[in-house]
Amino acid sequence: MSPRHSSEPSQPLSRLTLLAGGALGVVFGDIGTSPLYTFRTVLSLSEHDPTPGVILGLLSLITWTLILVTSIKYAAFAMRIDNHGEGGIMALMSLLVEKGKGGRWVIFSALIGAALIYGDGAITPAISVLSALEGLEMVIPESQPYILPLTVAVLLGLFLLQPFGTARIGKIFGPVMAVWFLAIAALGVRGIVQHPSVLLALNPAYGIAFLFSNGYTSFLVLGGVFLCVTGAEALYADMGHFGKKPIWLAWYGIVFPSLLLNYAGQSALILAGADSKQNLFYTLCPPVLQVPLIILAALATVIASQAIITGAFSMTRQAIQLGWLPRLRIKQTAAESYGQIYIGIINWLLMGVTIGLVVFFKSSDKLAAAYGIAVSLTMLMTTGLLFVAMREVWRWSLASSAVIALCFLVIDATFLFANLIKVLEGGYIPLLMAAAICTVMLIWHRGVKAVSASVGEKGVSVDAFFAQLQQKTVPRVAGSAVFLTRTQNNIPPVMRWHVARNRALQQDVLSLTIDILNVPYVGEEQRIRVEQRAPGYWHGVAQYGFMEHPDIPRLLQGVSEINALFATDDVTWYVGHETIVAGEGEAGMAAWQRHIFAFMKRNCTHVINHYHLPSDRVVEISRRVAV
C-alpha cells in the first residue's frame, strides 16, 4: 500500500510557492532561529580545545541530526501519515482511535506528547528572543544590563498583542522569514569561504569518531546538538495549514540548505582561528551590518514565538473538542481565517512562565540547559504512534514496521537520555508543566465519562417516556424546544426533569447530540441528521471535526427540515448543569481528583457560550451528579 493516508490535490507551481512562503513564517520559525544558540551551546559542552577534528565532528553531528530527524523522520516519513490532511500528535492519536486502535497506550502517549509541547512552548520564545537580543552586547557593550529588561518588554508586548489577533501583520511573516533564511545562508557562505575544508563534515564518519572517542562528553554534546531540531515537530503539526508539498518545498528548497550553510559557516570561523567564546552567529556578520542583523533576528524570533503561541491555541482547541480539556473561551480574531484564534487563559499562563524563565535563567546559555528534554520525549512518543500507524494505517508487516520504528527509536532514545542530564539544570520545568497538564487532561476526561455514566444510567426509552405522558395526561403546550444531550438512544435526562417539574411538554421537541468525530473537519452533507421518533419529537445528531467550532443556532437555521418543523429564532433551549458530589463506594473518583474536576466544571466556559446559544432563550436545569 502506498504510504499515504489521504491524497493531496495537485497545485500549480505559483500556488505551491505562495504556500511555501507562508509556511516559512509559521512552520519554520523555531527550527530556523536555532543557529542563534545551538552551535555556541554545543561548543561549550564539548569541553575540548576547538581542534579541526572536534569542530568537524560537532558539525557532522548537527548536519546528520538535521538529516535523520527532520528530513527523513518528519519530512519524508511522518508527513505521509495524516488524518484527512491534518498532522501532529493529537491528529495522529485521533486517526488511530478512528481506526479502532485507540488503546490506553496510544492515548496516553499522545497526551504526554501534547502536554510536553506546552512545556517546551514556554521555553522557545524565551530562549529565541533572548539569544537574538544578546547580539547587542557585541555592538554596544554598555547595553548588557539592558538586554534582560528589553527581552521581557518584547515578550510582554507579544503576549499583550494576542487578544487583538495577528492576521494583518501575519502577512509579512513569510517575507520576513524568507529574508532571514537568505541572510543566514549568506552569512554561512561568508564563513565557509574562509575555510572551505569545513564541508568535510558532510561525512558522517567525523561525527561517529567524535562520539566514540570522547566518552561522557559525547553524551553531553548530544544534548546540545539536539537543539538544532527543536521545532521539527512543527513540520508535521502544521501540515493541515499548508499541505505537504509546500512544506516540503520550503524545507528542502530554502530552510534546510540555509541551516546547513550557517552551521558550516560558524564552524569555519573556528577553523579559521576565531575565538570560540564569541557569539559566533553575529561574528559571521560584517560589523557594519550587525545592527540590522540584530533587528532581523529579533523579528525572526518574535515570529517564531508567535507560531508557538498560535500552535498552543490550536492544540488546546483540538483537546477541548476531543474531550480532553474543559471548555475554554475561544475568541476568533479574524473572520476570514479559522486558525486565527485566541484563548486567554493559555496566553496568560504561557506569558507568565515564559517571562519567568527569562528572569530566572537570565541568559540563553543557561536557558539551553532547560531546553530540549520535552521535545525529545515528544519525538519518542510520536515514534511509538508512528509504529502503530505503520501497522494499522499502511498495513505494513510487523517486521518492516519494527525495523523502521527501531531506527527512529534508537535516535530518539539517545537524544532523550542525553537530555535527561539537563533535568536538574532546569529541564524539570517543562517536565513539571507537562505532568500538570497531562494530569488535568486525564482528570477531566475521566470526570466527563463518570458524569455521562451517572446521568445516563437511569435512561428511559422514547416509547416508554411518551407512554407515560399519555398515561399521566401530561399536556403538550404550544411552543418549540431543543434539548442538548449526550444521549442518543433514550430520552434526554434534561427533558425528563423538565416534564417532571413543569408537568408539560412543548408541542414540537428536538433533542440534539453534538458529536465530535476523530477527523479534523466534517463535510456539510454529513453535518446533521434528523429523524422523527415519536409524534412531535425528533432527535438530531450534529457532527463536527476536532478542528471546528460548533455554532448550533446557525446550523439549525440552515436545515430546511428543522425550519419546516418550527421557527428556530423562537425556540427555547434546554441545557443541563451538573453539580459534582462524592460518589459512593470504590468506583467513584478519588477525592483530590473530584475536587479538581469540580473546580474545572465550575469554571469552564458555559455551554451557552461554547455553542453560541441565545442566552435570553436558554433554560438551565441543574442536578447533582455523583462521581
Side-chain angles (χ1 to χ4, degrees), residues 6 8 114 119 185 208 212 273 452 494 566 626:
S6 66
E8 189 171 291
I208 295 171
F212 284 95
S452 297
V494 175
F566 48 79

Side-chain angles (χ1 to χ4, degrees), residues 446-457 486-487 493 578 625 627:
R446 185 184 178 194
V448 169
K449 289 182 66 175
V451 168
S452 297
S454 179
V455 170
E457 65 183 5
R486 301 183 184 94
T487 303
E578 297 90 7
V625 177
V627 296

Side-chain angles (χ1 to χ4, degrees), residues 531-542:
E531 62 175 333
Q532 186 170 7
R533 294 186 173 179
Y537 174 67
W538 293 262
H539 178 71
V541 177

Side-chain angles (χ1 to χ4, degrees), residues 465 469 472-477 481 483 493-506 572-574 619-622:
F465 177 78
L469 290 188
K472 297 179 180 179
T473 63
V474 175
R476 302 293 295 271
V477 298
F483 293 86
V494 175
M495 185 170 160
R496 300 200 321 262
W497 296 325
H498 163 64
V499 171
R501 297 293 177 267
N502 296 304
R503 308 291 194 274
L505 182 64
Q506 284 86 344
T572 302
W573 301 80
Y574 289 85
V619 176
E620 186 175 15
I621 298 178
S622 298

Side-chain angles (χ1 to χ4, degrees), residues 266-404:
Q266 293 186 49
S267 303
L269 280 185
I270 303 296
L271 294 178
D275 185 358
S276 61
K277 295 181 180 179
Q278 287 183 325
N279 190 320
L280 292 173
F281 179 83
Y282 287 109
T283 304
L284 278 173
C285 183
V288 70
L289 294 177
Q290 284 181 348
V291 171
L293 180 62
I294 292 169
I295 295 172
L296 179 60
L299 289 174
T301 54
V302 166
I303 291 171
S305 302
Q306 178 60 55
I308 292 292
I309 296 168
T310 302
F313 293 161
S314 179
M315 190 167 64
T316 300
R317 177 170 59 186
Q318 291 182 37
I320 291 171
Q321 296 293 69
L322 291 170
W324 291 102
L325 281 177
R327 294 185 302 270
L328 301 174
R329 185 173 181 269
I330 299 175
K331 176 184 176 183
Q332 194 77 32
T333 58
E336 68 277 5
S337 177
Y338 184 75
Q340 289 285 337
I341 60 173
Y342 167 74
I343 304 177
I345 188 171
I346 301 299
N347 185 63
W348 304 129
L349 285 174
L350 280 177
M351 184 186 77
V353 175
T354 300
I355 293 178
L357 288 170
V358 171
V359 174
F360 180 75
F361 286 98
K362 295 183 172 59
S363 74
S364 61
D365 288 338
K366 293 179 180 177
L367 259 173
Y371 199 32
I373 185 169
V375 174
S376 60
L377 189 50
T378 299
M379 289 184 176
L380 186 67
M381 298 296 103
T382 301
T383 294
L385 296 182
L386 288 175
F387 169 72
V388 180
M390 281 184 266
R391 297 279 293 135
E392 304 301 333
V393 179
W394 292 352
R395 299 295 180 184
W396 281 10
S397 67
L398 177 61
S400 299
S401 303
V403 168
I404 299 295

Side-chain angles (χ1 to χ4, degrees), residues 28-93:
F28 299 106
D30 188 359
I31 197 170
T33 53
S34 58
L36 284 165
Y37 48 82
T38 297
F39 199 76
R40 184 175 58 181
T41 301
V42 171
L43 272 177
S44 66
L45 291 171
S46 68
E47 299 179 352
H48 282 79
D49 292 330
T51 62
V54 169
I55 297 303
L56 291 176
L58 297 177
L59 178 59
S60 181
L61 289 173
I62 291 174
T63 299
W64 283 94
T65 298
L66 283 168
I67 292 172
L68 294 174
V69 175
T70 312
S71 294
I72 295 179
K73 177 182 175 180
Y74 281 102
F77 195 87
M79 288 179 65
R80 296 182 184 274
I81 303 179
D82 64 275
N83 188 344
H84 301 274
E86 289 291 331
I89 197 164
M90 293 295 285
L92 182 55
M93 177 195 74

